[in-house]
Amino acid sequence: MPSGGSPTVRRRRAGKILRQMRETSGRDAQAAADALEVTTSTIYRMELGRVGIKPRDVMALTEVYGVSDSAQVEELVRLARDGRKRGWWARYSDTISPPYATYVGLEQDASSLYLYDGLIINGLLQTPGYARATFDFALEQSRQFMEDRINLRMERQARLRDDLKIWNVIDEAAIRRVLGGPKVMIDQLQNLLELAALPNVHLQVLPFDGGAYPGMLSSFTILGFGEVDGEVDPGYRHPDVVYIEGHNGDVYEEGEDVAPFHEVFGNLRSAALGPGRSLEFIEQQASRLKSM
């Protein structure tokens, strides 16, 4: 499935094109703001894809920028219109932060995810019981939305049965840490083994005895995107995005800041057990819990 269908990606794409048009025309953000009677900060937010763009605003801006290609303007209007639609995850908007909603929207259009998880199993690979256990020590504010957030995780997992490529390096700590009790953890480990049997899911365990590695101090996700056929700019490919979820807020890295994460992930993969040995390790942990 080519990227480009998610409202989040459409909105970001429309903003990028409008920014390119503005820069090509030589107009500054103030000229664009004056045309729409908004602030320059609103223009920048539009260009970054953080807010939706009204079709009539597209028409006004392209006129200011001197864009005369009617077909290009028409396609850009369609992108803006699609970017204002609500994704299926919008029904959870009252229970998740806007930055995380952006991540879910990006994830829906990603063609590949490279994940490093150091403390707990990734949400895309969690069982409902394990997901519930992750809330045991959460703040009350988070616990009140627990069921909705768990349901969101389970719905996100539908893409695992589609064409989304997953490569997950999991620290040994996440495999050994028992959340929810032995039964819940056994089910979770069995779920990892079942998912690893899918052709698009690859798991590796980063063992304790390998020492420390650059990048292992925080979990992160590298989202990769496929090409989009036709439309405004044929062959368009949304740039890779790095998502880092933290206690003090979510962080996104794009552009030249993504390359170091690819390098770190490559190092983590090299340091981790091979896929076959990793599955054996997970099986051993499940067997150990069963014998307790």
Side-chain angles (χ1 to χ4, degrees), residues 3-21:
S3 81
S6 163
T8 303
V9 172
R10 294 280 188 171
R11 187 168 61 246
R12 290 164 66 94
R13 228 182 125 196
K16 178 181 178 181
I17 293 170
L18 282 172
R19 183 178 69 250
Q20 291 173 337
M21 288 179 171

Side-chain angles (χ1 to χ4, degrees), residues 73-291:
V73 173
E74 183 180 340
E75 287 294 320
L76 185 52
V77 166
R78 182 165 64 85
L79 275 179
R81 186 177 292 115
D82 289 346
R84 292 177 63 82
K85 293 179 180 179
R86 290 167 60 87
W88 62 262
W89 57 93
R91 62 179 176 271
Y92 296 104
S93 59
D94 291 339
T95 66
I96 59 176
S97 67
Y100 186 64
T102 295
Y103 171 79
V104 177
L106 290 171
E107 183 184 84
Q108 290 307 295
D109 254 15
S111 58
S112 64
L113 298 179
Y114 295 93
L115 315 158
Y116 169 66
D117 295 290
L119 298 177
I120 62 174
I121 307 300
N122 193 276
L124 276 177
L125 308 177
Q126 292 177 4
T127 63
Y130 183 93
R132 193 165 287 106
T134 64
F135 284 85
D136 285 350
F137 300 101
L139 298 176
E140 183 59 33
Q141 183 179 5
S142 296
R143 289 179 60 82
Q144 65 178 318
F145 299 124
M146 179 178 71
E147 292 303 326
D148 282 337
R149 292 181 179 180
I150 291 173
N151 289 337
L152 173 59
R153 291 183 198 179
M154 297 305 108
E155 289 197 54
R156 287 169 51 214
Q157 292 178 11
R159 291 217 56 207
L160 294 176
R161 308 290 176 175
D162 193 2
D163 60 349
L164 178 62
K165 178 183 177 182
I166 300 284
W167 202 298
N168 189 192
V169 175
I170 312 171
D171 194 275
E172 182 177 337
I175 301 298
R176 287 188 177 274
R177 180 173 289 106
V178 178
L179 297 187
K183 176 61 167 63
V184 168
M185 195 64 196
I186 291 169
D187 289 345
Q188 176 59 65
L189 295 177
Q190 292 292 347
N191 189 59
L192 289 180
L193 295 173
E194 293 173 8
L195 291 174
L198 298 174
N200 56 310
V201 178
H202 305 275
L203 303 180
Q204 287 185 262
V205 175
L206 187 67
F208 287 154
D209 60 15
Y213 301 95
M216 64 178 291
L217 297 180
S218 62
S219 298
F220 62 89
T221 300
I222 304 173
L223 300 96
F225 300 84
E227 291 187 352
V228 176
D229 296 327
E231 300 188 0
V232 181
D233 41 359
Y236 172 83
R237 180 181 177 277
H238 191 289
D240 288 358
V241 176
V242 174
Y243 171 72
I244 308 167
E245 185 178 8
H247 293 294
N248 296 323
D250 300 335
V251 176
Y252 289 93
E253 300 286 359
E254 299 183 56
E256 61 184 16
D257 295 324
V258 173
F261 285 90
H262 278 291
E263 182 177 355
V264 167
F265 191 80
N267 292 336
L268 291 171
R269 280 179 55 182
S270 297
L273 301 175
R277 180 67 186 91
S278 294
L279 298 186
E280 291 176 3
F281 181 86
I282 294 171
E283 288 177 342
Q284 290 168 2
Q285 296 308 307
S287 297
R288 181 180 65 83
L289 290 174
K290 290 176 183 178
S291 65

